[in-house]
Amino acid sequence: MKKKIAEIIREKSSFEIITHEWPDADAVGSSTALAMALVALGKDFQIVNSTPTPEHLLLTPLPEKNSKFEIRNSKFPEVSLLLDVSDMGVIGEIKPKGMVVVIDHHATNQGFGDVCWADSRMSSTSEMIYELLNALDVEITEQIATNIYMGIFGDTGGFVHPNTTKKVFEVAKELVNKGANPNYVADKLKKNKPIIYYNILCLVIQRMSVKDGICAAYVTSEELRDLNATPEDASGIVEELASIAGVELAIFLRDIDSCKAHCSLRSRNTNAARLTAQAFGGGGHDKAAGFSIQGRAKELAPVVFKEGLRWIQTA
Ligand code: 5GP
Ligand code: MN
């Protein structure tokens, strides 16, 4: 499938790059690296996302679009490249305009679009982009290496999660050889949290319950408002809950607005995170998954706890 996608990229001339809502390091790293490769190949492209790219993930300038595309191609774009997208539900309001080509590593990707390269053995979509660029003979510049390294670092939790394979280290070594700076990337991703994150964490830690191997907590929209925070400011908190000794499943719910909530799940040894997320219509990876649902975080917390308990007991 990688070869087929390389062929499509060689043959076609106009592309749009789309990734999931609230892009993370892998989404931004893979999109930026591929956009830079399209520039090198002389292709017309545009990056299209439904929510803004977080500033702290812009380690290099973001090539937003090739300015020549409007002049050169009236049928723009021929191809829509969906990166780190497990299903059409995660791209928000965006409607792909071209032939849909998916590159993704989520376990819950069932295969969709016109061409789909989905491989859950890959640590990250960024690792897949690294392979694709090699297949295309694109030079891995320092900027491309930095973005791919960032994506791998992000999705392996800084070379911590079970997707940290021997191959990941081999690719990381090649990227460092090309100019990626491990300390710079780690500093931007791990030591760059705003104070507001700790304000929310403080509240969450006081509230969390640890029982039967599950740590569960939530934050309401009223609390976020009182702290002058957005729901996005609470991303990453689930990792703190999952770091407590003996916790098999971490559940963290946050209100998105007055009628919608998001749940983040992490499991240690079982697939309980994915199985619990899927029970509520979500998805992700075996040990890191999530879902969005109608309702309030506070009321949903015991319901998700009960479902999670079922899965860690049967796994
Ligand atoms: P988190 O919720 O912690 O941001 O995301 C953890 C993982 O779960 C990510 O890999 C993400 O792709 C997946 N995930 C989170 N929310 C959803 C969702 O609503 N639907 C699907 N399919 N996956 C999700
Ligand atoms: Mn990813």
Side-chain angles (χ1 to χ4, degrees), residues 86-87 90 106 108 238 254 262-264 266 282-285 288-292:
S86 56
D87 57 74
V90 303
H106 289 92
T108 50
V238 70
R254 57 187 131 138
H262 180 79
C263 180
S264 294
R266 298 291 183 273
H285 310 285
F291 62 90
S292 289

Side-chain angles (χ1 to χ4, degrees), residues 149 153 176 180-187:
Y149 186 96
F153 188 93
V176 173
N181 180 334
N183 179 246
Y184 175 71
V185 176
D187 193 74

Side-chain angles (χ1 to χ4, degrees), residues 26 84 105 125 155:
D26 187 29
D84 208 39
H105 71 121
T125 300
D155 265 21

Side-chain angles (χ1 to χ4, degrees), residues 142 145-146 149 172 175-182 185:
E142 184 183 325
T146 299
Y149 186 96
L175 295 168
V176 173
N177 278 336
K178 301 285 182 190
N181 180 334
V185 176

